[in-house]
Amino acid sequence: MTALALVLRQPLSRLRSAAGDRVVLAFLAALLVLGAADPGQLFPSVRFVLGGLVSIAPFLALAVGVAAFAAASGSDRLVARVFSGSPVRTITLAALFGALSPFCSCGVIPIIAAMLHAGVPLAPVMAFWLSSPVMDPELFILTAAGVGTGFAVAKTVAAAGMGLLGGFAVLALQRGGALRHPLAGSSEGGCGSHFEPDESKPVAWRFWLEPVRRAEFRRVATATGLFLLKWLAIAFLAESVMTAYVPASWVATAVGDGNAFAIPLAAVVGVPTYLNGYAAIPLIAGLLEMGMTGGAALAFATAGAVSCIPAAIAVWALVRRSVFVLYIGLGLGGAMLAGLLYELGGAPI
């Protein structure tokens, strides 16, 4: 077989594999069902998915490139070693950095995948994972202008606090013997497979000089990119359907001043109805005007930012079920705690 035939055969093989992939088939089936049930919503949802993938493309490319470079160069163990110092220090730094980083709940998934793939311990990863989607500098300014400075400050503190809570919770569980292998097992490789840094492999920063390392770069980049791309497409499709069919107006009736369970209900409701950090600002301002309490609003905003259903779908495919359940529990629990403390503090808007 000629070299040209081999080159052409690889993409065709990948296309045949993708065509038989259950996630791809589920995505296509969902589009068919949506088109049959509501033809007018099909093209807006497709545009939403494409727009979401375009917006997240820089983060996706960064994550894929980092994962592939780490594997090909052998620098993966060096990345892991950076986060292998004092757990208190790494968790604290990860939580604080996450509270200032510009990643949404879906945008942070490729970064988390790359970090776990590089062997970074789960505790600081979870700290960054929980704090990052809640707030960033630009979002702080817009939240202060659209909702109130007090609410923006409380949301920033909640972001760092949720990161610290999650990081130290994971650390405690791991010291008890749990959560040793966070990544989900998969025959696909890439982000879906368990990864251990190869300590015997020397680091070669100019990996492209060696054919074997170039091949490893292509393999990891392809597997990681396809894995993230298909699950993020499913996530954005789910988000488009939810924003189209889940009304926000009824939320205030369940989470207003007259309900003793307003804060936990707001956290639970925030998961399917939350949009994104920027689009949610006028929604939260409107809900406050409709009677939502400040604590419930904070619980709604933080729970939706961390563990919204589109992000949860991608996380479900990325990590083991125990890590997924912990991620959801920490997101909801941290949001409820943040809302309760904010309410007890007078909920300054």
Side-chain angles (χ1 to χ4, degrees):
M1 183 177 293
T2 65
L4 178 61
L6 285 172
V7 170
L8 293 174
R9 184 178 179 180
Q10 289 181 356
L12 292 174
S13 176
R14 293 187 187 124
L15 285 174
R16 284 195 296 270
S17 177
D21 189 288
R22 286 179 294 178
V23 180
V24 175
L25 294 176
F27 177 78
L28 296 176
L31 289 178
L32 289 174
V33 171
L34 180 61
D38 187 358
Q41 181 58 35
L42 178 60
F43 288 108
S45 289
V46 171
R47 285 196 299 270
F48 187 94
V49 171
L50 293 176
L53 291 176
V54 169
S55 67
I56 206 174
F59 305 121
L60 182 63
L62 174 64
V64 169
V66 168
F69 175 81
S73 66
S75 61
D76 37 43
R77 67 181 186 273
L78 301 181
V79 175
R81 199 172 296 161
V82 171
F83 289 88
S84 63
S86 167
V88 174
R89 178 182 62 83
T90 57
I91 291 171
T92 302
L93 289 176
L96 294 177
F97 176 71
L100 300 175
S101 64
F103 301 115
C104 66
S105 53
C106 290
V108 77
I109 301 300
I111 307 301
I112 295 303
M115 292 171 71
L116 290 175
H117 186 80
V120 175
L122 181 60
V125 169
M126 184 66 77
F128 176 79
W129 196 348
L130 291 172
S131 63
S132 180
V134 178
M135 185 57 76
D136 62 58
E138 184 179 356
L139 183 57
F140 179 92
I141 296 172
L142 295 176
T143 301
V147 181
T149 302
F151 188 86
V153 171
K155 197 162 179 270
T156 304
V157 174
M162 290 172 68
L164 293 170
L165 173 67
F168 286 113
V170 169
L171 180 64
L173 289 171
Q174 288 186 320
R175 285 179 172 175
L179 307 175
R180 292 298 184 189
H181 305 301
L183 286 171
S186 171
S187 60
E188 298 177 59
C191 293
S193 60
H194 175 60
F195 175 79
E196 291 287 354
D198 185 357
E199 296 291 341
S200 65
K201 185 169 62 175
V203 177
W205 298 109
R206 296 188 294 175
F207 71 89
W208 54 87
L209 299 178
E210 302 178 31
V212 174
R213 291 180 184 265
R214 290 199 303 270
E216 178 70 359
F217 181 91
R218 289 192 298 269
R219 184 192 68 79
V220 173
T222 300
T224 304
L226 291 177
F227 177 84
L228 292 171
L229 186 64
K230 65 187 181 184
W231 280 104
L232 287 171
I234 286 279
F236 285 124
L237 180 60
E239 183 179 5
S240 73
V241 172
M242 286 185 295
T243 55
Y245 297 114
V246 178
S249 59
W250 62 269
V251 175
T253 62
V255 292
D257 286 313
N259 193 333
F261 300 98
I263 290 175
L265 281 175
V268 173
V269 168
V271 172
T273 58
Y274 190 84
L275 305 178
N276 62 59
Y278 302 100
I281 292 173
L283 172 61
I284 292 170
L287 292 173
L288 286 168
E289 292 179 0
M290 295 168 64
M292 177 183 273
T293 67
L298 185 62
F300 174 85
T302 51
V306 171
S307 54
C308 66
I309 287 179
I313 292 173
V315 174
W316 174 266
L318 175 64
V319 297
R320 293 182 182 271
R321 299 299 168 254
S322 57
V323 178
F324 174 82
V325 171
L326 181 63
Y327 153 78
I328 295 295
L330 288 170
L332 288 174
M336 293 178 193
L337 180 60
L340 178 61
L341 293 175
Y342 185 52
E343 194 77 20
L344 292 175
I349 302 297

